[in-house]
């Protein structure tokens, strides 16, 4: 049975090329969109949505992809999104938090452009097509397929600036593997709370905590412009004590503040009961996010605020 797969192209290294000086930039034509070779029993439709380096992607672009998925889902058996790797995990997480239809949705990209030695774009693209055509991927949420591994959007992150195996899922590992002849799933993605949004707006910055941090940086923030704030704290969720008062002032004007750990592994939780420790921060009203990095926690808060969550429903969702 032939599977119909829609390819939404957004740009990124997978669609770029290298010049004689070794500089990588967008190509006039997308080399991935012109690939004729594809796995057997797969019919491909290409749609050029954007041609952007992934640092140019913002939540409005992510929302447009969500709308395109809704508009086209009834006509295809699966969807593949080609994307730059710098923000790929954020787009994947955003889409995975939307009310997506139950069909395979796979993001992929490349660490080396189309004409670089050892380019990985074609192999990643072919693997993504195979996963998107596999009916077992229907109930696993948004997936990221890179370097012959299948990752859940919630957990995957870019861990290396240039290595082909950059995408990893700390604590969890991949959901499955793509071998030469098989698609192997050995984990199930967890159930997600999902939202339907038609617009998204708001300003939610990320502040990384550092040794000796005082209130001065936080005092520079314009409270009237902020929708929320993400704090990337130390360890299990601790900050230098002088920064606490500035955070309390932000909380006092009703600003939601969520906290994640700056550590690569583990979760943020209120463990330490000293000034600036997680126990004090939780008592102040700061919300602890489990298992998300700062960039995904930002999207989680932004989506929740645009969905109208506040007070206890917001706390339950953010900390759930």
């Amino acid at each position: 049975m032939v599977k119909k797969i829609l390819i939404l192209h957004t740009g990124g290294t997978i669609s770029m090329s290298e010049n004689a000086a070794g500089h990588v930039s967008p190509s006039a034509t997308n080399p991935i969109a012109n690939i004729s070779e594809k796995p057997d029993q797969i019919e491909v439709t290409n749609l050029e949505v954007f041609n952007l380096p992934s640092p140019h992607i913002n939540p409005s672009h992510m929302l447009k992809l969500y709308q395109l998925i809704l508009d086209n889902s009834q006509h295809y058996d699966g969807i593949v999104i080609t994307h730059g790797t710098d923000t790929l995990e954020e787009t994947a997480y955003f889409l995975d938090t939307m009310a997506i239809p139950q069909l395979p949705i796979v993001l992929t990209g490349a660490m080396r452009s189309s004409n670089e030695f050892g380019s990985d774009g074609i192999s990643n693209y072919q693997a993504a097509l195979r996963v998107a055509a596999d009916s077992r991927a229907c109930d696993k949420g948004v997936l990221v397929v890179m370097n012959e591994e299948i990752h859940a959007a919630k957990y995957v992150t870019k861990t290396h600036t240039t290595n082909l195996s950059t995408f990893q899922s700390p604590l969890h590992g991949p959901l499955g593997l793509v071998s030469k002849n098989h698609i192997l799933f050995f984990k199930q993605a967890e159930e997600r709370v999902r939202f339907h949004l038609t617009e998204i707006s708001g300003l939610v910055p990320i502040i990384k905590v550092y040794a000796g941090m005082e209130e001065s940086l936080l005092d520079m923030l314009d409270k009237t412009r902020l929708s929320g704030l993400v704090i990337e704290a130390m360890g299990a969720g601790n900050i230098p004590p002088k920064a606490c008062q500035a955070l309390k002032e932000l909380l006092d004007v009703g600003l939601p503040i969520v906290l994640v750990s700056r550590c690569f592994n583990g979760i943020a939780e209120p463990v330490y009961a000293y000034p600036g420790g997680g126990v004090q921060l939780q008592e102040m009203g700061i919300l602890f996010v489990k298992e998300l990095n700062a960039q995904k926690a930002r999207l989680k808060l932004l989506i929740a605020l645009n969905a109208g969550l506040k007070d206890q429903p917001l706390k339950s969702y953010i900390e759930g």
Side-chain angles (χ1 to χ4, degrees):
M1 177 181 176
V2 174
K3 295 292 186 75
K4 298 175 65 178
I5 307 299
L6 174 65
I7 316 297
L8 301 177
H9 297 283
T10 70
T13 300
I14 194 169
S15 65
M16 296 183 183
S17 59
E18 182 184 66
N19 65 18
H23 299 156
V24 177
S25 59
S27 303
T29 58
N30 185 347
I32 292 295
N34 295 311
I35 292 175
S36 58
E37 299 84 3
K38 60 183 182 300
D40 293 338
Q41 301 299 305
I42 292 179
E43 178 184 309
V44 167
T45 300
N46 289 286
L47 180 58
E48 298 275 353
V49 186
F50 317 118
N51 187 19
L52 295 173
S54 64
H56 296 192
I57 296 288
N58 62 46
S60 295
H61 296 111
M62 300 173 192
L63 187 64
K64 181 172 182 178
L65 289 172
Y66 168 55
Q67 292 167 339
L68 285 170
I69 290 169
L70 293 182
D71 293 343
N72 289 279
S73 61
Q74 294 183 339
H75 308 295
Y76 295 94
D77 299 300
I79 295 174
V80 170
I81 301 171
T82 64
H83 198 288
T85 59
D86 284 349
T87 58
L88 186 150
E89 66 189 84
E90 290 168 83
T91 296
Y93 179 80
F94 179 95
L95 294 175
D96 198 42
T97 313
M98 294 294 100
I100 54 173
Q102 196 173 40
L103 82 166
I105 299 172
V106 180
L107 277 79
T108 193
M111 293 301 293
R112 296 175 185 166
S113 60
S114 60
N115 62 339
E116 287 185 70
F117 182 75
S119 174
D120 56 329
I122 293 177
S123 61
N124 286 338
Y125 171 71
Q126 298 276 13
L129 280 177
R130 290 173 58 198
V131 174
D134 193 319
S135 59
R136 294 174 299 164
C138 285
D139 61 348
K140 292 181 171 55
V142 174
L143 301 173
V144 172
V145 173
M146 294 280 292
N147 201 39
E148 300 180 343
E149 293 183 341
I150 306 167
H151 292 268
K154 179 177 179 179
Y155 302 117
V156 72
T157 188
K158 186 175 182 179
T159 65
H160 195 285
T161 55
T162 57
N163 197 287
L164 298 189
S165 63
T166 180
F167 281 91
Q168 304 290 331
S169 295
L171 293 178
H172 296 271
L175 292 181
L177 299 173
V178 181
S179 72
K180 185 175 180 64
N181 298 309
H182 302 282
I183 305 294
L184 305 173
F185 287 106
F186 40 81
K187 290 184 181 180
Q188 180 67 40
E190 65 175 8
E191 290 293 324
R192 300 292 307 282
V193 177
R194 300 186 186 278
F195 301 93
H196 174 66
L197 299 181
T198 57
E199 58 183 26
I200 190 162
S201 61
L203 178 60
V204 179
I206 298 169
I207 300 294
K208 190 181 186 80
V209 172
Y210 51 87
M213 181 178 180
E214 300 186 357
E215 62 269 45
S216 55
L217 174 61
L218 294 166
D219 287 343
M220 294 179 189
L221 298 174
D222 185 348
K223 301 179 182 66
T224 64
R225 295 187 59 203
L226 296 184
S227 305
L229 181 66
V230 175
I231 297 294
E232 191 175 293
M234 300 170 176
N238 313 301
I239 67 173
K242 289 186 177 180
C244 280
Q245 182 57 38
L247 289 179
K248 186 178 185 306
E249 292 173 4
L250 293 172
L251 289 165
D252 287 345
V253 299
L255 190 76
I257 301 177
V258 304
L259 180 147
V260 300
S261 175
R262 69 183 194 180
C263 295
F264 187 75
N265 281 302
I267 65 172
E269 54 184 345
V271 174
Y272 290 95
Y274 50 68
V279 172
Q280 179 187 10
L281 299 177
Q282 185 185 54
E283 290 173 348
M284 287 167 52
I286 291 176
L287 308 177
F288 282 62
V289 180
K290 301 180 183 68
E291 296 191 287
L292 292 184
N293 56 27
Q295 55 266 35
K296 290 180 183 176
R298 170 184 170 268
L299 287 171
K300 185 173 187 177
L301 179 57
L302 188 63
I303 290 167
L305 294 174
N306 277 268
L309 297 188
K310 57 184 180 180
D311 301 327
Q312 186 58 44
L314 178 65
K315 175 180 172 63
S316 297
Y317 172 66
I318 292 296
E319 296 188 334

